[in-house]
Amino acid sequence: MFEFQQNAGAFLVLAIALVLGEVLWRRRSGRSYDFNALGATLAIYVGQIAASAVTASVVVLVWRTAYDLAPIQWDGGDWRVWLACFLLVEFMYYWEHRLSHTVRWLWATHAVHHSPNEFVLPAAFRLGWTGLISGGWLFFTVVAFAGFPPSMIAVWLVGGLRYQFFLHTECVGRLGPLEGIINTPSNHRVHHSSRPEYLDKNFGGVLMVFDRLFGTYAREKPGADMCYGLTDPIPNNNPFRIAFREWGRMAKDVMGAGNPARAIGAAFGRPRHARPPAPIS
């Protein structure tokens, strides 16, 4: 599906090298490293690759249809078109990501990414298997209908995901004035924290512009215990449990709703969370 597959091997080699470096850094700095969780992440990643092969065929068809129906089709050879596409993709990514935290149907897939209790580089690869069902990719159909080629959309989306790999770490501190402009490890630590004051913050992919514009931006407090993961952690590293727990919970609530209105609310209302941990003192 994606243009970036031609250099996927080089990216993977770099990722492995950085993961090994991070392991050494965490060991030397007295931090833990959960290798059982790493094993679960790798298993989930393999499953996600298989699921993506199916998802890609559907996504390409829908995006191509939307692009063919677009009132205007932009010239892919113009750098201004690439810039406009990037900004629109970032805008749609912000809203897709934000709604993935506030709409239960979307959260059922996205919760997988927030399940690690350690904030380490491999967590970037812990992605849900059910993206085709939850439908977050539909947000980017708007970009195709706006006249941007599906291949261009894919380049920016994959580029953004690869950029975000480097954000899943505690190795890098705050980056000064860049913090309020682009996504950084510090900004992304806030996003992955389960502390009450950090929940549902910093949804941007590459940019923090839309978080600042729509009031969802939060800075990392110096010296704070971030407490990563879900507010109700999954008690084991079973990849199938991690991938499907939220769907199972939602199905149980829908079947026990009692009437159609409650059933719709159980599926598309806010996610069901356990009581958040106590605020930082």
Side-chain angles (χ1 to χ4, degrees), residues 51-219:
S52 293
V54 178
T55 302
S57 60
V58 176
V59 171
V60 167
L61 176 62
V62 174
W63 286 0
R64 173 56 62 178
T65 301
Y67 177 69
D68 290 341
L69 294 174
I72 186 172
Q73 295 177 344
W74 300 102
D75 179 12
D78 189 331
W79 68 269
R80 293 169 296 182
V81 173
W82 280 86
L83 177 60
C85 182
F86 167 71
L87 293 174
L88 185 53
V89 166
E90 278 290 297
F91 179 75
M92 297 309 298
Y93 180 89
Y94 169 85
W95 284 107
E96 184 273 332
H97 196 184
R98 181 170 177 174
L99 290 173
S100 291
H101 281 251
T102 56
V103 176
R104 194 175 188 185
W105 185 267
L106 294 169
W107 174 248
T109 294
H110 189 59
V112 175
H113 183 59
H114 283 265
S115 62
N117 297 316
E118 289 182 341
F119 195 67
V120 292
L121 288 169
F125 296 116
R126 190 181 283 205
L127 301 171
W129 299 344
T130 54
L132 179 61
I133 299 170
S134 56
W137 54 273
L138 286 168
F139 284 78
F140 303 99
T141 305
V142 174
V143 186
F145 189 69
F148 296 99
S151 58
M152 187 182 295
I153 299 169
V155 166
W156 286 128
L157 281 174
V158 174
L161 289 175
R162 291 190 178 178
Y163 172 78
Q164 289 180 50
F165 165 78
F166 303 100
L167 306 180
H168 292 79
T169 186
E170 294 180 310
C171 295
V172 180
R174 290 180 55 82
L175 299 179
L178 291 178
E179 293 296 336
I181 301 172
I182 63 173
N183 205 356
T184 65
S186 177
N187 286 328
H188 211 53
R189 287 192 290 269
V190 168
H191 178 70
H192 274 262
S193 176
S194 59
R195 290 297 186 188
E197 64 268 41
Y198 291 146
L199 292 178
D200 298 339
K201 301 293 184 183
N202 298 358
F203 296 110
V206 176
L207 303 176
M208 286 288 101
V209 173
F210 298 114
D211 283 285
R212 294 174 70 87
L213 182 62
F214 296 112
T216 54
Y217 180 67
R219 293 181 179 272

